[in-house]
Amino acid sequence: MPHPSRHAPVSPVEAALARSRLGVWPLVWIVMAAAAPLTVVAGGATAGFAVTAITGIPLGYVVVALILAVFSVGYVAMTRKVVNAGAFYTYITYGLGKPAGVAGSFVAVVGYNVMQTGLYGGFGVAAHDFAAAHLDVSAPWWAWAMAAWALIAFLGGRRIDLNGRVLAVLLIAEICVAVVLAVVQVAHPDGGQVSFTTLSPGNLFTAGLGAALATAIAGFVGFEGTAVFSEESKDPQKTVARATYLALAIIGVLYAFCAWAMSVATGPDAIVARATADGSQLIFNLAGPHVPAAVITLGQLLFVTSLFAALLAFHNTAARYFYALGREGVLPSVLGRTSPKTRAPIHGSLLQTLIGMGVTATYVLAGWDPFTRMFFWLTVLGGLGVLILMTATSIAVLAYFARPGTGDDVSVGRRVIAPSLATLGLGAVLWVTLTQMATLLGVDPASPLRWQLPAIFAMAALLGVLWALILKARRPQVYAVIGLGAHSAVTEATGSFAPAGR
């Protein structure tokens, strides 16, 4: 295999992402679209009630938002020191060394691609159901999934600010509908009395706490993607920080309010049974008798577009991870090139597009259930991957700022206290998630899937470490610039840009 440095020279245009394209709000729309608010409210919250049988899901969203807010303090402090589209990969490299960083990059690539491809199953089923009910069209789920795939393949190579506008329109519409439906539910409480019972700590901190928190944290996956777009942001040190906190605050309040509203409309004692019976239609069924039919139809349509928006957002995130790794030679250097016209990571986008087609085709040919096995299982698995990365990043932030000269201008709260608390909180959630995987997947407690699926990330991390050591032995010039990002082509691994490790 030829060494990346022996390839034909790449022009600066081909090697760079578009600069200063994203302000605070466009970046907020992109990462919030990945979190897919209406999908979480309609599907994630109801699944949380049904799977865990815990009525304290609304409070669970608040608890998770607080844990992630603490995580964001150290995360944002790191983004101000290191601007790189590799995000988690880069921060782990700077804090824990290059082998750990490459291990993290492999986990990230698997996690975000699994999350993105799993969404095709959910989109295909949701689009099929909507078209059959409202358009009298009965195309198979995979036809709808492939239609979304083709549009995402096109948009993935366009300017990132165009993607941001598309996502902003879809996102604002779905948030408005979710809020309207929630307000209607609160205005029509079960028994005529608004109940705050599901916000009581006693209804969350029970035997199923782990599964409840794991379900809740999956709904926030995507907010951390602000750092992935740092190189394309205006004033990255400020833009990324503000967008991270704004996205987290908005979706945290939205999830908690909408989940609580559903429990008000059903009554706290009936929410689990109704969520189990109605599934993702619960939010629409509860408000249906009190609003025009057109509002419900619009909400169901936006549920479909919410899934599309998440597909596009995670596609962009995965493409930029491929780009960051290709630019540094960790993966084939062709992935580190951008379109001269749009400055999008065109080859990373194409690779992610091919992965999406391959996974979808596999499910179609095997005849596997697109909703449970593809959408639910793969998105749960992708969420687990991101949870692993956030835990490792918290540890990396601690290690990075412990090095002399790195945290002199950063307060103790941001470089020590916050990342320490985040490590403990995220580590605890990760542990209970792993111990309750059978519950989350809905399989028998003795099923080998409970450990086989999480083991994918252990294998990815191990392969990452081994590949880093191979690079160190065989391609030292590639190993030397791991984690340097935009500086990898012009800077040796010394000085202020140097990550930890040898």
Side-chain angles (χ1 to χ4, degrees):
M1 175 185 279
H3 188 286
S5 64
R6 297 174 187 168
H7 291 173
V10 179
S11 73
V13 171
E14 290 181 294
L17 293 167
R19 304 289 176 174
S20 300
R21 286 268 170 85
L22 297 174
V24 172
W25 285 107
L27 186 52
V28 169
W29 304 141
I30 289 174
V31 299
M32 282 184 61
L38 188 56
T39 298
V40 173
V41 170
T46 52
F49 285 122
V51 171
T52 67
I54 289 179
T55 60
I57 294 297
L59 181 60
Y61 284 119
V62 175
V63 171
V64 167
L66 292 175
I67 292 174
L68 295 181
V70 175
F71 162 77
S72 297
V73 173
Y75 185 63
V76 165
M78 199 71 171
T79 67
R80 287 171 170 156
K81 292 287 186 178
V82 183
V83 177
N84 192 319
F88 286 141
Y89 149 64
T90 307
Y91 305 151
I92 294 172
T93 299
Y94 272 70
L96 302 178
K98 295 172 183 177
V102 178
S105 75
F106 280 33
V107 170
V109 165
V110 172
Y112 283 114
N113 277 280
V114 162
M115 177 70 77
Q116 202 272 351
T117 54
L119 287 165
Y120 279 114
F123 176 86
V125 171
H128 167 272
D129 292 348
F130 181 86
H134 299 285
L135 305 176
D136 197 26
V137 175
S138 183
W141 73 268
W142 55 263
W144 296 105
M146 284 294 95
W149 174 87
L151 184 54
I152 287 169
F154 170 77
L155 290 173
R158 301 305 97 192
R159 288 164 46 128
I160 188 59
D161 47 337
L162 171 62
N163 282 236
R165 293 189 192 103
V166 172
L167 293 174
V169 171
L170 296 177
L171 184 69
I172 292 172
E174 66 177 90
I175 289 176
C176 289
V177 167
V179 171
V180 167
L181 296 180
V183 169
V184 169
Q185 291 159 13
V186 174
H188 297 84
D190 177 66
Q193 186 73 30
V194 174
S195 172
F196 295 91
T197 301
T198 54
L199 295 175
S200 171
N203 290 317
L204 174 65
F205 294 93
T206 64
L209 173 64
L213 291 180
T215 301
I217 207 166
F220 287 85
V221 173
F223 93 95
E224 77 292 339
T226 49
V228 176
F229 299 93
S230 59
E231 294 182 40
E232 298 158 275
S233 301
K234 301 173 182 176
D235 192 0
Q237 282 75 15
K238 294 181 179 179
T239 301
V240 171
R242 292 171 181 172
T244 300
Y245 290 128
L246 277 170
L248 183 58
I250 293 171
I251 59 180
V253 171
L254 180 69
Y255 293 168
F257 175 65
C258 291
W260 169 71
M262 285 189 284
S263 73
V264 169
T266 64
D269 295 333
I271 182 62
V272 171
R274 286 295 303 273
T276 302
D278 293 18
S280 62
Q281 292 302 306
L282 178 61
I283 186 175
F284 305 115
N285 293 344
L286 291 175
H290 313 293
V291 298
V295 174
I296 299 302
T297 301
L298 176 61
Q300 292 171 333
L301 175 61
L302 288 170
F303 178 60
V304 178
T305 62
S306 173
L307 287 161
F308 175 82
L311 274 165
L312 179 57
F314 278 116
H315 171 88
N316 285 326
T317 299
R320 279 155 181 77
Y321 265 99
F322 283 133
Y323 164 80
L325 294 169
R327 176 174 58 184
E328 296 179 5
V330 176
L331 292 182
S333 59
V334 68
L335 295 174
R337 299 183 185 181
T338 59
S339 165
K341 183 177 180 181
T342 67
R343 305 288 285 274
I346 188 68
H347 297 291
S349 178
L350 288 173
L351 177 57
Q352 206 292 313
T353 300
L354 291 175
I355 291 172
M357 173 180 277
V359 172
T360 303
T362 299
Y363 272 80
V364 173
L365 295 174
W368 291 337
D369 176 42
F371 194 81
T372 300
R373 285 199 170 195
M374 188 175 185
F375 173 60
F376 187 66
W377 282 9
L378 294 189
T379 54
V380 165
L381 191 62
L384 174 63
V386 175
L387 178 57
I388 292 169
L389 289 168
M390 287 193 291
T391 306
T393 299
S394 293
I395 299 171
V397 171
L398 275 171
Y400 174 77
F401 284 121
R403 293 163 58 192
T406 57
D408 294 343
D409 57 342
V410 181
S411 69
V412 174
R414 287 189 292 161
R415 61 185 168 85
V416 178
I417 298 175
S420 296
L421 293 175
T423 299
L424 293 174
L426 292 169
V429 175
L430 176 59
W431 172 255
V432 296
T433 299
L434 292 173
T435 57
Q436 297 186 19
M437 278 301 294
T439 300
L440 289 172
L441 296 173
V443 299
D444 187 274
S447 171
L449 287 171
R450 74 187 191 282
W451 62 264
Q452 288 174 343
L453 291 180
I456 292 173
F457 293 114
M459 293 175 59
L462 178 60
L463 287 174
V465 171
L466 293 176
W467 183 238
L469 296 178
I470 290 172
L471 290 176
K472 183 178 182 180
R474 295 189 172 185
R475 301 178 181 176
Q477 57 271 57
V478 172
Y479 186 82
V481 298
I482 287 175
L484 295 185
H487 305 285
S488 60
V490 296
T491 308
E492 293 297 325
T494 58
S496 61
F497 294 124
R502 289 285 182 259

